[in-house]
């Protein structure tokens, strides 16, 4: 619980928080949220994401809940790891990750992009990834809402 509040920016790291994280098998987040949340990063635009997906040079992780994916759809090529599971998933051993998510686990040097509905949860996932050493992580701030709008617009224009 402390770890979740820390990731939401509602708590500062404490010995108790680090101990709780250790009990869950998670690595402690060093320093305050401010230290990694203010790290410079660049949001990925719709066009950039589309090009990255076509090049197959990224792993796109949709952090919405599973029911949202089923009801509203997802960006083609994305995998679903709900926000509550991101920290644990990025620290799993490769075999467990493959079994649970049916994909090869990204390494800390891989390009990973997080998305959600409108950019709030993906930014939280980004902060988690950065704190765990995934320095090439980014997020798609437009999320599913922008993707769906842009895709509809492109299809309507015949692109």
């Amino acid at each position: 619980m402390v770890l979740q509040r820390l990731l939401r920016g509602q708590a500062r790291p404490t010995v108790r928080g680090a101990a709780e994280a250790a009990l869950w098998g998670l690595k402690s987040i060093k320093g305050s949220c401010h230290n990694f949340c203010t790290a410079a990063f660049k949001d990925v635009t719709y066009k950039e994401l589309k090009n990255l997906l076509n090049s197959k040079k990224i792993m796109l992780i949709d952090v919405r809940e599973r029911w949202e994916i089923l009801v509203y759809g997802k960006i083609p090529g994305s995998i679903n790891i709900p926000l509550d599971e991101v920290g644990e998933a990025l620290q799993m051993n490769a075999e467990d990750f493959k079994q649970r998510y049916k994909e090869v686990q990204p390494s800390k040097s891989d390009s990973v992009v997080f998305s959600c509905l409108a950019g709030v949860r993906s930014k939280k996932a980004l902060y988690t990834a950065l704190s765990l050493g995934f320095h090439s992580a980014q997020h798609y701030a437009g999320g599913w809402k922008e993707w769906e709008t842009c895709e509809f617009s492109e299809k309507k224009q015949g692109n």
Side-chain angles (χ1 to χ4, degrees), residues 59-74:
M59 175 177 277
L60 178 61
I61 300 175
D62 189 324
V63 299
R64 292 179 292 156
E65 296 298 320
R66 287 179 180 87
W67 69 265
E68 291 177 271
I69 304 292
L70 294 172
V71 172
Y72 301 110
K74 69 177 195 154

Side-chain angles (χ1 to χ4, degrees), residues 90-156:
L90 294 177
Q91 296 179 82
M92 283 180 169
N93 72 50
E95 291 175 23
D96 290 344
F97 186 95
K98 176 80 170 167
Q99 184 176 7
R100 185 165 190 172
Y101 300 108
K102 311 296 186 244
E103 292 288 336
V104 174
Q105 184 181 35
S107 72
K108 290 183 179 184
S109 62
D110 288 342
S111 293
V112 178
V113 176
F114 294 97
S115 71
C116 62
L117 182 65
V120 175
R121 289 174 283 180
S122 61
K123 189 173 271 192
K124 290 178 183 180
L126 170 65
Y127 295 157
T128 299
L130 290 172
S131 75
L132 294 172
F134 287 79
H135 300 295
S136 296
Q138 296 177 297
H139 90 116
Y140 173 45
W144 173 250
K145 282 184 174 181
E146 181 182 76
W147 180 271
E148 188 176 39
T149 300
C150 291
E151 287 291 295
F152 177 76
S153 177
E154 281 188 8
K155 286 180 179 139
K156 188 175 177 183

Side-chain angles (χ1 to χ4, degrees), residues 30-89:
K30 296 180 182 174
S32 69
C33 179
H34 180 76
N35 289 342
F36 68 86
C37 292
T38 58
F41 62 87
K42 182 177 158 294
D43 292 347
V44 175
T45 66
Y46 165 77
K47 291 285 187 195
E48 290 170 334
L49 181 59
K50 197 155 185 164
N51 289 335
L52 287 167
L53 287 169
N54 287 335
S55 72
K56 307 217 185 290
K57 292 184 178 179
I58 63 154
M59 175 177 277
L60 178 61
I61 300 175
D62 189 324
V63 299
R64 292 179 292 156
E65 296 298 320
R66 287 179 180 87
W67 69 265
E68 291 177 271
I69 304 292
L70 294 172
V71 172
Y72 301 110
K74 69 177 195 154
I75 298 172
S78 66
I79 69 164
N80 178 230
I81 303 176
L83 180 60
D84 291 350
E85 298 175 22
V86 169
E88 178 186 356

